[in-house]
Amino acid sequence: MANGAALLEVRDIRRAFPRPGGGELLVLEDVNLSLRQGEIVGLLGRSGSGKSTLLRLIAGLSEPSGGSVNYLGEPVLGPAPGIAMVFQSFALFPWLTVLENVQLGLEAQGLPDSETRARALKAIDLIGLDGYESAYPRELSGGMRQRVGFARALVVNPNILLMDEPFSALDVLTAENLRTDFLELWNEGDLPIKGVILVTHNIEEAVQMCDRILLFSTNPGKVVSEIKVELRHPRDRNDPAFLALVDRIYVEMTARRVEKLAQGPQRATLGTMLPRVSANLISGLIEAVAAPPYNGQADLPKIADDLQFEIDELFPVAESLQLLRLADLEGGDIKLTETGKRFAADETDERKRIFARLLIRYVPLAALIRRVLDDRESHAAPKSRFLDELEDYMTEEAAEETLRSVVSWARFAELFSYDDDEQMFSLENPA
Ligand code: ADP
Ligand code: MG
């Protein structure tokens, strides 16, 4: 096969999951991509954008709701031999040695024992675990364990390696070490693979490793842009061209997010997931935007930088301000509303009153809980009462998260309280 020939074609993939209460959650829509011989292609997107879901579809571990995956021209209809996965962390069997754990990757192939052993030893050697064959996982560092994961994937001599955030569970130095080793093997042609798809949320990692980067949007996940990386290997993170590319991708991702936020739901409904953001963070951002040099209006990426936040950490806070009408988002800026400015100028007690009013007005879930508690003679209600209702709109996990958020906001506003041991909501100061 010549370099540049298509290994993999993903066409018009759509994937939806049924929601527990009916309806569906659309996770992937119109996803198109190809992987050619000799390429490392990166999928760069936020957590929850459907990257792992897409990798599972490509590997044939789950079925798309629409569209197709073609591997070497044939549709992928089940687990595809020739496509192997590396995960964020590996479930290594603690009672098996490194060698035995790697041999497991070959178990399904029915090879003679001697061949299984020889191939496992070769994979172990390749990935830098020589000498650790008879060690048990507990004797290995996190980085070494992840190398066992790589060996287990490589031992089958796959054509395509799918990597799902394989470095993100490792500390910075260990991750860098493994990345560099992997790239060196790849660039020397020492790996048995012909193409790689790397899922990551780390821009620098994508620029360091990939030939092409596909930017992935959220809700639903789709490829929104493609960036070619033409820097020579080994790539130097301090090279101005490297830094410029990282910046460009960062700006593109941020601009998209701010734009999307600004078009976000103008009004929360009972089915709106609430971001997990503390009232303290909300107050903190309002104060920062109100203060000089911003005086009520700030560029989001800039203020994130000033406050030493990752922009990703600041987005949910900005989203909360928007939801509560404490600020508007427009053109990449966050701008305090009149209420937001008043909030910034007030003392804690008055802030709590403003917050309580906004919760009742703009967060239907908070209003519902308060109304139920007001109506009941006991002024108490079990968590399950609201969890059931939320699960008509979202997964159980999302419902739990949303309840946790509303509880923390209501605590600050002194709107109602919640006892986690008893799983009960109650009013401290019934009306
Ligand atoms: P990423 O890997 O980009 O973080 P995922 O692919 O893990 O994203 O998840 C994307 C979305 O799909 C999430 O909202 C997740 O809750 C949802 N999801 C993933 N798998 C399932 C499933 N089996 N059932 C229901 N929802 C799922
Ligand atoms: Mg994932």
Side-chain angles (χ1 to χ4, degrees):
M1 240 179 116
N3 250 18
L7 289 170
L8 190 79
E9 296 277 351
V10 171
R11 286 293 156 253
D12 303 324
I13 284 280
R14 181 178 184 284
R15 180 64 160 111
F17 293 106
R19 287 186 200 266
E24 58 176 27
L25 174 69
L26 183 59
V27 173
L28 298 171
E29 191 179 39
D30 295 334
V31 177
N32 288 281
L33 64 92
S34 60
L35 175 67
R36 293 186 279 270
Q37 166 120 349
E39 275 189 320
I40 302 183
V41 169
L43 289 179
L44 180 62
R46 286 169 58 207
S47 148
S49 57
K51 304 179 302 293
S52 295
T53 303
L54 180 59
L55 277 198
R56 292 176 55 77
L57 293 173
I58 292 175
L61 301 174
S62 110
E63 267 181 58
S65 315
S68 62
V69 178
N70 276 279
Y71 164 55
L72 300 176
E74 301 283 331
V76 171
L77 301 171
I83 304 184
M85 279 253 237
V86 178
F87 303 91
Q88 188 175 357
S89 66
F90 271 85
L92 299 179
F93 292 98
W95 59 86
L96 298 181
T97 62
V98 166
L99 178 62
E100 289 161 340
N101 266 293
V102 174
Q103 282 175 336
L104 275 186
L106 283 173
E107 195 152 77
Q109 303 200 1
L111 300 169
D113 281 356
S114 58
E115 165 134 24
T116 303
R117 189 183 155 81
R119 277 176 60 179
L121 286 172
K122 199 171 146 209
I124 287 169
D125 207 9
L126 184 67
I127 205 72
L129 283 169
D130 197 15
Y132 289 88
E133 294 81 358
S134 55
Y136 287 91
R138 65 168 180 278
E139 301 174 73
L140 303 179
S141 65
M144 294 297 240
R145 269 185 236 141
Q146 187 61 328
R147 284 178 195 256
V148 181
F150 271 87
R152 198 197 263 176
L154 292 171
V155 75
V156 300
N157 287 342
N159 276 316
I160 298 178
L161 192 62
L162 306 176
M163 307 209 279
D164 195 352
E165 314 220 13
F167 311 106
S168 65
L170 307 174
D171 65 76
V172 178
L173 288 180
T174 308
E176 187 54 21
N177 212 287
L178 189 48
R179 262 186 225 116
T180 316
D181 283 1
F182 180 88
L183 277 176
E184 198 175 309
L185 289 169
W186 168 258
N187 288 323
E188 296 291 318
D190 291 337
L191 293 176
I193 42 183
K194 300 197 170 77
V196 177
I197 296 184
L198 169 69
V199 158
T200 179
H201 62 254
N202 180 330
I203 301 177
E204 295 192 349
E205 176 174 302
V207 172
Q208 188 183 4
M209 299 194 67
C210 301
D211 300 295
R212 277 190 294 141
I213 300 171
L214 306 176
L215 289 191
F216 222 65
S217 74
T218 312
N219 286 327
K222 55 164 82 171
V223 178
V224 286
S225 114
E226 175 182 318
I227 293 138
K228 284 204 165 60
V229 188
E230 279 161 338
L231 307 169
R232 297 229 329 247
H233 286 281
R235 293 175 181 165
D236 172 5
R237 280 174 183 245
N238 297 315
D239 170 10
F242 187 105
L243 294 169
L245 194 51
V246 169
D247 262 0
R248 193 188 123 199
I249 297 174
Y250 178 81
V251 166
E252 188 164 339
M253 290 178 82
T254 313
R256 247 171 234 293
R257 295 268 315 273
V258 176
E259 209 171 291
K260 213 164 167 182
L261 264 188
Q263 301 161 349
Q266 284 311 298
R267 196 163 262 282
T269 64
L270 204 49
T272 304
M273 276 188 65
L274 301 178
R276 190 85 177 92
V277 171
S278 71
N280 269 337
L281 262 179
I282 291 179
S283 306
L285 183 58
I286 293 177
E287 282 167 16
V289 177
Y294 302 111
N295 304 314
Q297 178 162 357
D299 178 57
L300 260 187
K302 176 154 184 350
I303 200 168
D305 207 41
D306 280 359
L307 297 174
Q308 306 204 344
F309 270 91
E310 292 293 328
I311 188 89
D312 267 1
E313 301 171 298
L314 212 55
F315 272 119
V317 190
E319 202 178 348
S320 309
L321 293 191
Q322 173 174 257
L323 202 73
L324 294 167
R325 301 294 188 284
L326 287 159
D328 291 319
L329 295 165
E330 47 187 46
D333 279 6
I334 181 164
K335 188 176 166 199
L336 295 184
T337 58
E338 286 311 313
T339 318
K341 287 181 193 157
R342 220 171 322 125
F343 186 97
D346 279 332
E347 301 294 323
T348 306
D349 279 350
E350 188 52 32
R351 286 184 175 186
K352 284 174 183 276
R353 273 192 288 277
I354 295 178
F355 212 73
R357 215 170 54 237
L358 296 176
L359 283 180
I360 294 285
R361 197 143 157 216
Y362 296 118
V363 182
L365 176 61
L368 169 75
I369 295 174
R370 176 70 200 213
R371 200 175 64 239
V372 168
L373 297 175
D374 276 337
D375 285 353
R376 291 193 176 188
E377 216 160 318
S378 61
H379 297 305
K383 173 185 177 187
S384 56
R385 158 71 180 78
F386 306 109
L387 205 52
D388 287 350
E389 188 139 354
L390 285 184
E391 283 178 34
D392 287 349
Y393 305 98
M394 54 184 88
T395 62
E396 185 180 346
E397 205 182 318
E400 289 274 1
E401 187 76 7
T402 295
L403 272 184
R404 270 196 290 276
S405 302
V406 87
V407 161
S408 92
W409 290 1
R411 269 205 188 110
F412 174 77
E414 298 177 20
L415 194 59
F416 49 77
S417 52
Y418 173 68
D419 180 334
D420 198 42
D421 291 333
E422 307 282 334
Q423 308 246 307
M424 286 293 282
F425 285 87
S426 62
L427 285 190
E428 265 161 25
N429 331 296

